[in-house]
Amino acid sequence: MRPLLAAWPGQERLAESLGRELEAERLSFTMRRFPDGETYLRVDGDVQGRPVAVLCTLRDPDPLFLPLAFLAATLRDLGATSVGLVAPYLAYMRQDRRFRPGEAVTSTGFARLLSATFDWLATVDPHLHRHGSLAEIYGVPAAAVEAAPLLADWIRANVADPLVVGPDAESLQWVGSIARAVPCPYVVLEKIRRGDANVSVSELPPGAASAGRTPVLVDDIVSTAGTMIEAARRCRERGLAAPVCLAVHAVFAPGAYEGLRAAGAARVVTTNTIPHASNGIDVAAPLAAAAGRMLRA
Ligand code: R5P
């Protein structure tokens, strides 16, 4: 029996290609707010005996979570055999330890909530830093697609003589594999974060500047863009060409995209895990493959 795909409003473009790849039938639902702010939800189709994948990227997760939980519960009540979540961007992965006494470790808290709500999860490049894998914190099967091969393909097709630049130690995991796949040299800088929008990044090593290459800054997430802006500044002060900025997840806090363009980025390109004007790399095929494996299991 063909699976059903229920796409969150605003995510129709990715839903179209994902639906095609999954050979899924689209399932629509109606959702609105009552005047007092509570959620009204109605599933507009027969889900009895069918597996359902819900597509919802988790940028701005707080207002999304409760309606998502209602949708998953309703699908089960109506007879769906399983309800999985395709979250191209998985939120709450960065607060992965208690940095100061009393802080909430929201990565594990959110993982518990999602694991209690869905039967499986498929996502793209979750921010795994101090957690080694999603299995450490998620209690349901969880697949993480790597965007690195897609980013490498994009660089190969669009940038002559690239130098891949990772802005911090965490980026080494994807920067190294991207540079090997292109192939091209890479450097990884060091970052010190002092606050949400206050970061500094170390200088480029002297050898990097003499190579005459176009710097390609690569990060998993751009949020305030402070990290990319600082790395771009480091490239400029070494007299390198205007950098190309690549990121997997276009989180972009208000004003961040404009700030990055104003900081001298030659291009800003992201994957379509979060709908944004900078989307230029399509994750639908590998994401559908991962979701398909979950649906079949
Ligand atoms: C950090 O841990 C991530 O890999 C990104 O470097 C970070 O989320 C970027 O944040 P921002 O754009 O706010 O500097």
Side-chain angles (χ1 to χ4, degrees), residues 18 21 122-124 143-147 149-150 282-293:
L18 203 62
E21 302 268 349
T123 188
V124 180
V145 168
E146 287 182 11
L150 302 174
D282 187 8
V283 297
L287 186 56
R293 283 192 293 277

Side-chain angles (χ1 to χ4, degrees), residues 94 127 168 170 174 191 193 196 219-227:
R94 283 169 291 175
H127 185 81
D168 55 25
E170 288 159 59
W174 47 86
K191 177 168 81 179
R193 184 176 287 284
D196 292 347
D219 209 346
D220 58 342
I221 297 169
V222 199
S223 176
T224 66
T227 304

Side-chain angles (χ1 to χ4, degrees), residues 223-284:
S223 176
T224 66
T227 304
M228 283 260 185
I229 289 172
E230 275 298 288
R233 188 174 67 80
R234 290 306 195 184
C235 293
R236 272 203 325 275
E237 72 186 18
R238 277 299 165 85
L240 295 184
V244 172
C245 297
L246 282 193
V248 179
H249 304 297
V251 170
F252 287 121
Y257 178 63
E258 296 72 18
L260 185 53
R261 298 305 307 253
R267 291 181 75 172
V268 180
V269 178
T270 59
T271 78
N272 55 349
T273 60
I274 299 172
H276 188 264
S278 61
N279 291 170
I281 300 171
D282 187 8
V283 297

